[in-house]
Amino acid sequence: MKKLLIPLIAAFAANTVSAAAPQQVIDISTDKVSMVLTAAPGGEVYFRHFGGRIDDPAPLADYKSNRRSDHGTEDLAYPATGGRNFREPALRVTHADGDMNTELRYVSHASKQLSDKNVTETVVKMTDCCQALDVELVFTAYARENVITTHAVIRNREKGPVTLHSFYSSSLPLKADKYLLTHLYGAWAREAQVDHTLLTHGSKSIESTREVRTTHTENPAFLLTLNSDSFSETYGEVIAGALAWSGNFRLNFEVDEFDVLTVLAGANPNASEYRLRPGETFTTPEMIYTHSFCGAGGASRNLHDWARNYGVYHGHEAVPTLLNSWEGAYFKFDAKVLKQMIDDAASMGLEMFVLDDGWFGNKYPRNNSNAGLGDWQVNAAKLPEGIDHIASYAHSKGLKFGIWIEPEMVNPKSELAEKHPDWIVRPPKREAPTTRNQWLLDLTNPKVQDFVFGVFDNTMKLSDKIDYIKWDANRNANNVGSAYLPADEQSRFWIDYAQGFYKVMERIRAKYPDVLIQACASGGGRVEYGALKYFDEVWMSDNTEALSRARIQYGTSLFYPAVVMGSHVSATPNHQTGNITPIKFRFDMACAGRLGMELQPRQMTDEERQFARRAIASYKEYRDIVMQGDLYRIGTPYDKSGCYGLMYVSKDRKQAVLFTYSLRYQGRSLIPKFRLQGLDPKTGYTIRELNVDKSRNWFDGKTFSGEMLSNAGINPSMPKIYDSGVFLLTAE
């Protein structure tokens, strides 16, 4: 009985101190955004504010919610299962003694400016009132970008192991009259479609349980428009969030009886119980937040700035324009075919050639998707002179050289599968299902991590002229089982796989800091900031058709900057959709991201090749504006008008490039108007239409004030479907 009373007395004492001690204010701020917590020693840590900056948040120490305690807890900074919390918990634990309750109490907090003077880190320390379990909330504020990231560190000081059932990265309570949720959904070849949902009472979750290709159907990012049921690019209060995690994720949105919306974001707890041994810590993925009073556009620009400065590897270096061999040659090529493609790429002014799938395997040659994956020897029949011969030829023509790998997967018909069946993800006594005729390698296993690193390392050793790696991943994880993990810890697979992937990437970046790497996963399966910490760009979709790309690129741009968006001009009829689109429309769409081509140039007409040279040359003229400028979306590709525009404005507002698209027939009566944002109202801008012999627009070559272009706008002529324009604006 005495032992039972001790934790009860401790808990009572903690609550007594909390009630008596004054609340301390924990201020986490950027130039325009504040996140405010309050706490008293031994008391709970409350979440008080996230939104516009508060220069003096001290009065929030006296904040009273006027809630009755029997209706549940206040808005906690990191709610756990236990105490008076009735909402979905950020943390759910079974302690070493079987106790299923956790009540976190404030210990201390500290803030420090990092070596980068733009960045401040705040750590809030808490501990359970009855068990030796600690939680640290780590907030990192990026002043200029107006972004705050957060994660949790969970430490077990108990005498036995504890089981983590839920371990979200953050909990964000918000209070507004309305909550309009904007998020992405889709499928292969139809990624990044946009959905708007007005949240009602109860819970809505956006999640993935697929591992590896986690973002085809959902994306771990969202926008919340507050106090409105209308989405706007330019007006209103908007919060954006994005999770940096390459495994299963969950974003949970719960509106309670107080009309408070609580957002939980983090690794998906589904089937992912994690045993934490005594003395061990668990660090959750990073959750990224920003806030804007300038609509969705303002939130996007904050995220883009943060991504280029902190979230993307080589965020200020654009991947060169390129020709990729895949849709032009598929598996059927030899050195002669590749050299011809390199010649054509150079003649059109492209800057890199990428050799895609099919270059490897000898016992099981990689002549289709059925065999050879995992056997990373150069195919002697196709390329008897090796990769260096092709890479050197590309360099001799003034091009960089890239090559494709898929190191996490293996064909059943391969030497690797024969030698290492224990490396395959599969449960005992059950079949390992194939996807695209392949199995998944078990990255929870350090030996597999060594192998995957070795694939990259040995590929780079094939030539000192390899500048770029296209890293593909063409399947999900299912029917999961690991021969490496203990039988009673199989649920660690979902976490340990993603962490194993990161361990490999850390080793790669330590040895190859300068190589360019693309994250491809059957197209847009790895479009998230966990991967982008190591990758230079993503392949948004295997669907290269320009009309489809309008929506794919629009949705992606809500959260991710153009510098990471690989976008290619492909053949017509398109290989995915069969659609036939004009060469100009294809280029004008691809030029809104990182421009590339994915076709056989020998099948282009002379007129198309001539236009390609012209469009590539003009793209280089304004590329820096697209890659590093501020994005202003004008309408959406979902609008009933069928017209859509976007504009990138240089940071000094001296140049801008405007893209306009007609996605449906306009006829003689529907004339679009585009009001241009982001310009200096008192500066004059000369407009020049690119890639046309003679513009049909009355404003071409004329100079207008930024004020006029913003308030009155311009009306480019786009009466037919696939009409498009690219306009360069230069300050006078």
Side-chain angles (χ1 to χ4, degrees), residues 685-703:
Y685 294 89
T686 299
I687 303 177
R688 176 165 58 95
E689 185 171 6
L690 305 178
N691 306 329
V692 294
D693 294 324
K694 184 179 180 181
S695 176
R696 57 186 176 184
N697 292 294
W698 65 271
F699 50 80
D700 182 59
K702 296 182 180 179
T703 301

Side-chain angles (χ1 to χ4, degrees), residues 403-617:
I403 194 167
W404 179 97
I405 58 173
E406 190 177 4
E408 297 165 78
M409 285 81 188
V410 58
N411 286 130
K413 193 174 181 180
S414 67
E415 294 180 80
L416 179 65
E418 293 171 350
K419 292 177 182 177
H420 294 288
D422 57 317
W423 287 5
I424 309 302
V425 173
R426 72 172 116 207
K429 305 177 183 179
R430 299 183 188 276
E431 291 295 320
T434 58
T435 301
R436 202 175 182 251
N437 307 301
Q438 61 194 40
W439 289 325
L440 181 66
L441 295 177
D442 182 6
L443 267 179
T444 71
N445 187 336
K447 291 182 179 179
V448 175
Q449 295 170 24
D450 290 342
F451 171 80
V452 173
F453 170 78
V455 172
F456 192 103
D457 191 33
N458 292 329
T459 300
M460 291 298 297
K461 291 175 182 177
L462 294 173
S463 173
D464 62 359
K465 298 177 179 63
I466 294 176
D467 306 289
Y468 173 95
I469 295 286
K470 179 179 178 180
W471 181 306
D472 211 342
N474 280 300
R475 63 157 297 152
N476 300 312
N478 50 12
N479 229 29
V480 162
S482 168
Y484 172 75
L485 293 172
D488 61 349
E489 293 192 349
Q490 290 291 303
S491 62
R492 289 177 63 118
F493 174 86
W494 302 104
I495 301 298
D496 286 2
Y497 185 97
Q499 291 180 338
F501 173 61
Y502 291 153
K503 289 176 182 177
V504 172
M505 295 311 303
E506 290 283 353
R507 291 172 65 184
I508 287 171
R509 280 310 187 187
K511 187 169 183 179
Y512 298 103
D514 298 323
V515 69
L516 302 168
I517 314 176
Q518 181 191 78
C520 177
S522 294
R526 251 181 189 155
V527 182
E528 43 80 25
Y529 282 116
L532 282 168
K533 181 180 178 181
Y534 307 101
F535 289 82
D536 298 84
E537 66 171 11
V538 297
W539 184 230
M540 289 179 287
S541 179
D542 284 343
N543 184 349
T544 54
E545 190 262 319
L547 190 62
S548 301
R549 277 294 183 117
R551 289 189 173 185
I552 292 169
Q553 292 175 198
Y554 166 79
T556 304
S557 79
L558 292 174
F559 309 102
Y560 306 98
V563 73
V564 308
M565 294 166 53
S567 186
H568 290 183
V569 174
S570 57
T572 186
N574 181 264
H575 292 189
Q576 286 78 40
T577 67
N579 200 11
I580 298 173
T581 52
I583 187 71
K584 185 177 188 301
F585 185 77
R586 283 178 273 157
F587 264 99
D588 289 355
M589 189 64 67
C591 285
R594 193 273 296 141
L595 173 64
M597 297 182 72
E598 187 128 356
L599 44 69
Q600 172 50 267
R602 297 288 161 119
Q603 296 174 358
M604 298 172 70
T605 66
D606 290 340
E607 290 78 11
E608 287 176 331
R609 290 161 69 95
Q610 182 179 354
F611 181 84
R613 281 190 286 271
R614 182 177 190 176
I616 292 166

Side-chain angles (χ1 to χ4, degrees), residues 74 130 180 266 276 299 320 343 392 414 465 480 546 580 613 618 642 667 686 702 724:
E74 301 278 338
C130 303
L180 179 68
L276 201 60
D343 289 341
S392 295
S414 67
K465 298 177 179 63
V480 162
I580 298 173
R613 281 190 286 271
S618 67
T686 299
K702 296 182 180 179
S724 60

Side-chain angles (χ1 to χ4, degrees), residues 28 30 35 50 119-122 137-142 146-152 169-170 242 244 285-290 303 306 310-311:
I28 305 153
T30 70
M35 182 179 285
F50 178 62
V119 185
T120 302
E121 180 183 86
T122 300
L137 300 182
V138 182
F139 302 92
T140 308
Y142 300 84
N146 294 302
V147 162
I148 297 172
T149 69
T150 180
H151 68 270
S169 298
S170 77
E286 201 83 30
M287 184 62 191
I288 306 149
Y289 289 113
T290 190
L303 283 179
W306 176 85
Y310 299 100

Side-chain angles (χ1 to χ4, degrees), residues 52 128 220 293 681:
D128 183 63
F293 285 116

Side-chain angles (χ1 to χ4, degrees), residues 42-118:
E44 294 175 313
V45 180
Y46 299 121
F47 197 104
R48 297 307 188 195
H49 171 76
F50 178 62
R53 181 181 169 91
I54 301 174
D55 288 336
D56 179 16
L60 287 174
D62 299 322
Y63 178 84
K64 299 291 188 295
S65 71
N66 299 318
R67 290 188 189 178
R68 286 172 54 106
S69 62
D70 56 353
H71 279 254
T73 184
E74 301 278 338
D75 295 332
L76 296 177
Y78 199 68
T81 297
R84 294 177 290 112
N85 179 40
F86 300 138
R87 285 174 277 189
E88 176 79 12
L91 179 67
R92 185 166 75 87
V93 177
T94 298
H95 296 277
D97 61 1
D99 182 5
M100 296 187 296
N101 299 282
T102 301
E103 299 175 77
L104 297 175
R105 298 292 183 259
Y106 172 79
V107 175
S108 66
H109 76 276
S111 296
K112 64 179 180 180
Q113 192 174 69
L114 302 186
S115 57
D116 181 343
K117 302 302 183 184
N118 183 55

